[in-house]
Amino acid sequence: MSKTTNYLSCYSPEIQQQAQSLLDNEKTGPWLLKKYPQPHEFGSEKALYDYAQGIKNQFMRSSSPISKVIYDDKIHVINNALGLHTYVSRVQGNKLKAKNEIRVSSLFRRVPEPLLRMILVHELAHLREKEHNKAFYKLCSYMEPDYHQLEFDLRLYLCHRDRFGELWG
Protein backbone atom coordinates (compact mmCIF):
# COMPACT_ATOMS: atom_id res chain seq x y z
CA MET A 1 0.00 0.00 0.00
CA SER A 2 1.23 3.44 -0.90
CA LYS A 3 2.03 5.92 1.88
CA THR A 4 -0.46 8.30 0.29
CA THR A 5 -3.36 5.88 0.83
CA ASN A 6 -2.46 4.56 4.29
CA TYR A 7 -5.34 6.61 5.77
CA LEU A 8 -7.65 4.45 3.67
CA SER A 9 -6.30 1.07 4.80
CA CYS A 10 -9.63 0.15 6.42
CA TYR A 11 -11.42 0.35 3.04
CA SER A 12 -11.64 -2.32 0.37
CA PRO A 13 -8.82 -2.71 -2.17
CA GLU A 14 -11.19 -1.42 -4.88
CA ILE A 15 -11.88 1.80 -2.97
CA GLN A 16 -8.17 2.24 -2.25
CA GLN A 17 -7.39 1.75 -5.93
CA GLN A 18 -9.98 4.35 -6.96
CA ALA A 19 -8.56 6.81 -4.43
CA GLN A 20 -5.03 6.14 -5.68
CA SER A 21 -6.17 6.83 -9.24
CA LEU A 22 -7.74 10.16 -8.19
CA LEU A 23 -4.52 11.10 -6.41
CA ASP A 24 -2.30 10.03 -9.32
CA ASN A 25 -4.41 12.12 -11.72
CA GLU A 26 -4.42 15.12 -9.34
CA LYS A 27 -8.22 15.13 -9.12
CA THR A 28 -8.64 14.98 -5.35
CA GLY A 29 -8.07 18.72 -4.79
CA PRO A 30 -10.65 19.95 -7.31
CA TRP A 31 -13.18 17.31 -6.16
CA LEU A 32 -12.79 18.17 -2.46
CA LEU A 33 -12.87 21.94 -3.10
CA LYS A 34 -16.04 21.61 -5.16
CA LYS A 35 -17.72 19.54 -2.46
CA TYR A 36 -16.37 21.60 0.46
CA PRO A 37 -15.47 25.11 -0.76
CA GLN A 38 -14.95 26.88 2.60
CA PRO A 39 -13.09 26.12 5.84
CA HIS A 40 -15.02 26.26 9.11
CA GLU A 41 -14.96 29.37 11.30
CA PHE A 42 -14.26 27.73 14.67
CA GLY A 43 -10.66 28.89 14.94
CA SER A 44 -10.64 29.73 18.64
CA GLU A 45 -10.84 27.08 21.32
CA LYS A 46 -13.89 28.79 22.84
CA ALA A 47 -15.69 28.60 19.48
CA LEU A 48 -14.64 24.94 19.12
CA TYR A 49 -15.89 24.14 22.64
CA ASP A 50 -19.21 25.93 22.02
CA TYR A 51 -19.66 24.08 18.73
CA ALA A 52 -18.95 20.68 20.34
CA GLN A 53 -21.20 21.54 23.30
CA GLY A 54 -24.02 22.40 20.89
CA ILE A 55 -23.76 19.01 19.19
CA LYS A 56 -23.63 17.27 22.58
CA ASN A 57 -26.67 19.18 23.87
CA GLN A 58 -28.66 18.33 20.77
CA PHE A 59 -27.99 14.58 20.77
CA MET A 60 -26.44 13.55 24.10
CA ARG A 61 -27.82 15.87 26.76
CA SER A 62 -27.75 13.20 29.48
CA SER A 63 -24.14 12.10 28.82
CA SER A 64 -21.22 13.13 30.98
CA PRO A 65 -20.23 16.78 30.59
CA ILE A 66 -17.20 17.78 28.57
CA SER A 67 -14.78 20.03 30.38
CA LYS A 68 -12.48 20.97 27.52
CA VAL A 69 -12.39 20.88 23.72
CA ILE A 70 -9.14 22.13 22.25
CA TYR A 71 -6.91 22.05 19.20
CA ASP A 72 -3.74 20.18 20.04
CA ASP A 73 -0.47 20.73 18.16
CA LYS A 74 0.95 17.52 19.64
CA ILE A 75 -1.63 15.21 18.11
CA HIS A 76 -0.46 13.84 14.83
CA VAL A 77 -2.61 11.57 12.76
CA ILE A 78 -1.07 8.35 14.04
CA ASN A 79 -2.72 4.95 13.86
CA ASN A 80 -5.60 6.54 11.91
CA ALA A 81 -6.60 8.72 14.92
CA LEU A 82 -8.13 12.06 13.97
CA GLY A 83 -8.71 13.32 17.50
CA LEU A 84 -8.60 12.10 21.09
CA HIS A 85 -11.13 11.73 23.83
CA THR A 86 -9.51 11.56 27.26
CA TYR A 87 -11.09 10.73 30.56
CA VAL A 88 -9.17 12.20 33.49
CA SER A 89 -9.97 10.99 37.00
CA ARG A 90 -8.74 12.69 40.14
CA VAL A 91 -9.37 12.02 43.79
CA GLN A 92 -10.30 15.17 45.70
CA GLY A 93 -10.82 14.42 49.36
CA ASN A 94 -13.18 11.45 49.48
CA LYS A 95 -14.69 12.16 46.05
CA LEU A 96 -13.67 10.98 42.62
CA LYS A 97 -13.80 13.79 40.06
CA ALA A 98 -13.84 12.94 36.37
CA LYS A 99 -13.30 15.20 33.40
CA ASN A 100 -13.92 14.44 29.74
CA GLU A 101 -11.64 16.27 27.34
CA ILE A 102 -11.66 16.29 23.56
CA ARG A 103 -8.51 17.16 21.69
CA VAL A 104 -8.65 17.78 17.95
CA SER A 105 -5.46 17.77 15.94
CA SER A 106 -4.42 21.26 14.88
CA LEU A 107 -4.35 19.85 11.33
CA PHE A 108 -8.11 20.35 11.35
CA ARG A 109 -8.14 24.01 12.36
CA ARG A 110 -8.86 24.98 8.72
CA VAL A 111 -10.97 22.16 7.27
CA PRO A 112 -14.61 22.60 6.20
CA GLU A 113 -17.25 22.46 8.93
CA PRO A 114 -18.77 19.07 7.94
CA LEU A 115 -15.34 17.41 8.32
CA LEU A 116 -14.72 19.03 11.71
CA ARG A 117 -18.23 18.03 12.79
CA MET A 118 -17.50 14.40 11.89
CA ILE A 119 -14.40 14.42 14.14
CA LEU A 120 -16.34 15.97 17.03
CA VAL A 121 -19.24 13.53 16.59
CA HIS A 122 -16.74 10.68 16.71
CA GLU A 123 -15.13 11.93 19.92
CA LEU A 124 -18.47 12.77 21.54
CA ALA A 125 -19.73 9.24 20.81
CA HIS A 126 -16.89 7.98 23.01
CA LEU A 127 -18.67 9.57 25.99
CA ARG A 128 -21.16 6.70 25.72
CA GLU A 129 -19.33 4.01 23.79
CA LYS A 130 -15.65 3.46 24.54
CA GLU A 131 -15.08 0.86 21.80
CA HIS A 132 -15.46 1.22 18.05
CA ASN A 133 -18.33 -1.25 17.88
CA LYS A 134 -21.73 -1.40 16.17
CA ALA A 135 -23.38 0.74 18.89
CA PHE A 136 -20.62 3.34 18.55
CA TYR A 137 -21.08 3.75 14.79
CA LYS A 138 -24.87 3.71 15.16
CA LEU A 139 -24.56 6.64 17.59
CA CYS A 140 -22.19 8.47 15.19
CA SER A 141 -24.66 7.99 12.33
CA TYR A 142 -27.52 9.18 14.54
CA MET A 143 -25.69 12.42 15.33
CA GLU A 144 -24.38 12.84 11.76
CA PRO A 145 -26.29 10.87 9.09
CA ASP A 146 -23.43 11.38 6.57
CA TYR A 147 -20.83 10.22 9.11
CA HIS A 148 -19.31 7.43 7.01
CA GLN A 149 -19.07 9.53 3.84
CA LEU A 150 -17.54 12.43 5.78
CA GLU A 151 -14.99 10.11 7.37
CA PHE A 152 -14.01 8.80 3.95
CA ASP A 153 -13.76 12.33 2.53
CA LEU A 154 -11.58 13.42 5.45
CA ARG A 155 -9.29 10.44 5.00
CA LEU A 156 -9.06 11.17 1.27
CA TYR A 157 -8.15 14.76 2.14
CA LEU A 158 -5.37 13.48 4.43
CA CYS A 159 -3.99 11.43 1.52
CA HIS A 160 -4.19 14.53 -0.69
CA ARG A 161 -2.52 16.67 1.99
CA ASP A 162 0.40 14.25 2.34
CA ARG A 163 1.04 14.40 -1.37
CA PHE A 164 0.09 17.95 -2.38
CA GLY A 165 -0.28 20.05 0.79
CA GLU A 166 -3.13 21.99 2.36
CA LEU A 167 -6.35 22.80 0.51
CA TRP A 168 -8.05 25.28 2.82
CA GLY A 169 -4.99 26.71 4.60
Side-chain angles (χ1 to χ4, degrees):
M1 176 178 16
S2 157
K3 178 186 182 295
T4 57
T5 56
N6 64 354
Y7 299 110
L8 301 171
S9 62
C10 57
Y11 295 95
S12 72
E14 294 80 16
I15 297 289
Q16 290 181 52
Q17 193 171 35
Q18 288 174 0
Q20 188 66 53
S21 177
L22 285 172
L23 287 160
D24 290 345
N25 292 304
E26 299 185 21
K27 292 186 176 181
T28 50
W31 183 79
L32 287 164
L33 286 170
K34 182 176 182 190
K35 192 168 183 180
Y36 307 105
Q38 299 292 321
H40 67 77
E41 298 190 7
F42 307 105
S44 74
E45 292 185 348
K46 177 170 180 6
L48 182 66
Y49 175 85
D50 290 345
Y51 182 56
Q53 192 66 40
I55 297 168
K56 181 194 174 297
N57 288 343
Q58 183 178 358
F59 296 103
M60 300 174 63
R61 188 174 297 278
S62 64
S63 292
S64 304
I66 45 177
S67 61
K68 186 189 290 187
V69 182
I70 62 169
Y71 292 108
D72 192 329
D73 292 330
K74 294 181 181 121
I75 294 177
H76 298 286
V77 184
I78 298 171
N79 297 329
N80 294 325
L82 306 174
L84 289 174
H85 166 256
T86 56
Y87 182 78
V88 181
S89 298
R90 290 190 182 93
V91 177
Q92 291 182 337
N94 61 354
K95 291 185 178 178
L96 182 65
K97 298 277 188 178
K99 289 184 174 184
N100 288 292
E101 298 178 357
I102 295 174
R103 296 171 182 275
V104 176
S105 173
S106 293
L107 287 175
F108 305 120
R109 196 180 284 267
R110 299 282 300 154
V111 297
E113 183 270 336
L115 303 180
L116 177 68
R117 180 182 173 87
M118 185 280 307
I119 294 167
L120 291 172
V121 161
H122 182 100
E123 299 310 327
L124 287 166
H126 280 304
L127 294 174
R128 270 204 203 138
E129 297 291 333
K130 302 302 179 209
E131 303 295 320
H132 292 122
N133 55 24
K134 190 173 183 178
F136 174 85
Y137 287 109
K138 186 175 180 181
L139 180 56
C140 288
S141 293
Y142 167 71
M143 290 191 284
E144 175 49 66
D146 291 332
Y147 175 83
H148 294 289
Q149 182 63 53
L150 291 168
E151 182 179 15
F152 176 80
D153 292 352
L154 182 63
R155 290 179 180 282
L156 185 62
Y157 163 65
L158 290 170
C159 294
H160 172 92
R161 184 182 175 279
D162 277 2
R163 191 184 278 190
F164 304 109
E166 298 286 341
L167 275 178
W168 299 282

